[in-house]
Amino acid sequence: MLKQRTLKSLTHAVGVGLHSGQRVEITLRPAAPDTGIVFRRVDLPQVVDIPVSAEAVTDTRLASTLSKGNARVLTVEHLMSACAGLGVDNLYVDITAEEIPILDGSAASFVFLLQSAGIEMQNAPRRFIRLTQPVEVREGTGPAEKWAHLEPYHGYKLSFEIDFNHPAVDSTGQRVEFDLSVGSYSRDIARARTFGFTKDVEMMRSNGLALGGGLDNAIVMDDYKVLNADGLRYDDEFVKHKILDAMGDLYLIGKPLLASYSAFRSGHALNNKLLRELLAHPECWEIVTFEDERRAPVGFAQPARAW
């Protein structure tokens, strides 16, 4: 049986929120089978549990935000991406402020935390959402067009194309494909950092965003070049970060997908819209388990190894 996974032990980190600039402590704790991933605001007078779901996403401005009542958790996508990449099904995420720490701006630090705690198999079948028919969402026309698409695939594959009119981005790959069956998430995707432009910083900060951002947790560009002294981690780091974000956004559906995802200029909002469109059409998907691991797609049977 292909089994659900959680952590062997708890693990802990401290950082700042990318948008809030607040100091935050995060503790990742094991959870029982079928718990899913649950964010817990332990700083509130009464602890509020916020289970992940597509419907719990309430804000997608530059990040994915989950809410329950008046409690919310900002910028969950990098941790969710690491969980998707390593195959973690059940997890409690305790935080002492409203935003997940940005750490180095990628998912690499979360991969390290999860790997350090260890991945443990649980005595319950891992449940997948398998696409049976294509689903697509589109917005805009002409130069403003963007879209995201899911279709049946025996595995998990993502392809993404970006379209930034900027010298530093134009000189790198603007399209990438990642297949979990042949690639390594930790090696190929996890280290790609979020990025931004100096010209947008003042506007974002006036709107209460990017208050904790800087060269130590993002790729920053002026009108011509990358300002980070160490340059890029991947030749195509910009589009790989979009794959990283998409894996996190899509895992908010609450179960791993068996599907091929493709997108052009998509972002957190359109990714969530795609999940809601999928859930609105139950004829396009089914829940499956694998009693025989050998029938599962390559890349899902064993927990992802370290770097």
Side-chain angles (χ1 to χ4, degrees):
M1 179 175 68
L2 190 56
K3 297 180 177 180
Q4 293 179 33
R5 301 165 187 166
T6 190
L7 299 187
K8 289 182 179 177
S9 61
L10 62 80
T11 185
H12 180 81
V14 179
V16 298
L18 173 64
H19 295 302
S20 65
Q22 289 179 303
R23 181 186 184 275
V24 57
E25 298 179 24
I26 181 171
T27 303
L28 308 179
R29 298 193 291 111
D34 298 318
T35 299
I37 297 175
V38 180
F39 290 87
R40 306 180 75 241
R41 287 288 306 278
V42 299
D43 59 312
L44 300 176
Q46 288 190 314
V47 173
V48 177
D49 288 3
I50 308 177
V52 304
S53 72
E55 295 87 352
V57 176
T58 55
D59 193 347
T60 51
R61 293 180 304 155
L62 303 179
S64 288
T65 296
L66 303 175
S67 297
K68 182 179 179 181
N70 293 325
R72 62 178 189 163
V73 182
L74 285 67
T75 320
V76 301
E77 60 272 9
H78 296 173
L79 173 56
M80 290 300 299
S81 184
C83 290
L86 299 187
V88 176
D89 299 287
N90 304 303
L91 184 69
Y92 286 114
V93 183
D94 295 355
I95 55 171
T96 61
E98 69 174 10
E99 188 172 15
I100 301 298
I102 191 62
L103 301 178
D104 77 338
S106 74
S109 297
F110 294 116
V111 167
F112 176 79
L113 286 171
L114 294 167
Q115 294 277 18
S116 298
I119 308 296
E120 182 170 85
M121 298 295 189
Q122 299 177 288
N123 193 27
R126 195 168 198 220
R127 295 180 175 85
F128 295 81
I129 294 176
R130 179 163 65 189
L131 268 284
T132 57
Q133 298 179 43
V135 173
E136 182 177 271
V137 289
R138 287 181 175 267
E139 290 182 358
T141 57
E145 183 181 26
K146 51 187 175 182
W147 52 265
H149 179 90
L150 285 169
E151 63 183 43
Y153 182 68
H154 187 62
Y156 192 39
K157 179 171 65 175
L158 304 97
S159 61
F160 204 108
E161 184 176 355
I162 56 178
D163 180 29
F164 284 94
N165 184 21
H166 187 282
V169 184
D170 292 346
S171 63
T172 72
Q174 297 213 43
R175 184 183 184 279
V176 74
E177 181 174 290
F178 174 71
D179 192 322
L180 198 61
S181 67
V182 295
S184 163
Y185 172 82
S186 299
R187 181 192 66 219
D188 301 333
I189 302 296
R191 297 177 65 244
R193 293 161 293 177
T194 192
F195 58 92
F197 306 91
T198 53
K199 65 182 180 182
D200 297 330
V201 169
E202 187 175 333
M203 177 273 293
M204 287 192 290
R205 289 183 173 169
S206 67
N207 286 302
L209 299 169
L211 300 178
L215 291 168
D216 59 342
N217 55 32
I219 305 169
V220 182
M221 290 167 283
D222 62 14
D223 290 341
Y224 305 101
K225 64 185 182 299
V226 171
L227 299 181
N228 302 64
D230 56 351
L232 299 178
R233 294 177 174 177
Y234 304 107
D235 291 340
D236 49 2
E237 187 168 0
F238 301 106
V239 68
K240 279 189 171 176
H241 186 77
K242 289 294 189 178
I243 290 275
L244 185 158
D245 274 350
M247 290 182 71
D249 288 341
L250 296 177
Y251 205 34
L252 290 171
I253 201 168
K255 294 179 178 62
L257 290 169
L258 296 180
S260 174
Y261 164 89
S262 53
F264 175 66
R265 300 176 64 212
S266 186
H268 304 299
L270 203 59
N271 290 337
N272 185 250
K273 187 176 179 180
L274 180 64
L275 291 185
R276 291 173 184 254
E277 181 71 11
L278 176 63
L279 293 173
H281 293 277
E283 72 277 9
C284 294
W285 55 276
E286 60 186 358
I287 302 291
V288 298
T289 61
F290 294 96
E291 291 300 317
D292 184 347
E293 281 192 19
R294 293 170 296 181
R295 295 185 177 273
V298 176
F300 284 100
Q302 296 297 324
R305 299 187 182 278
W307 314 100

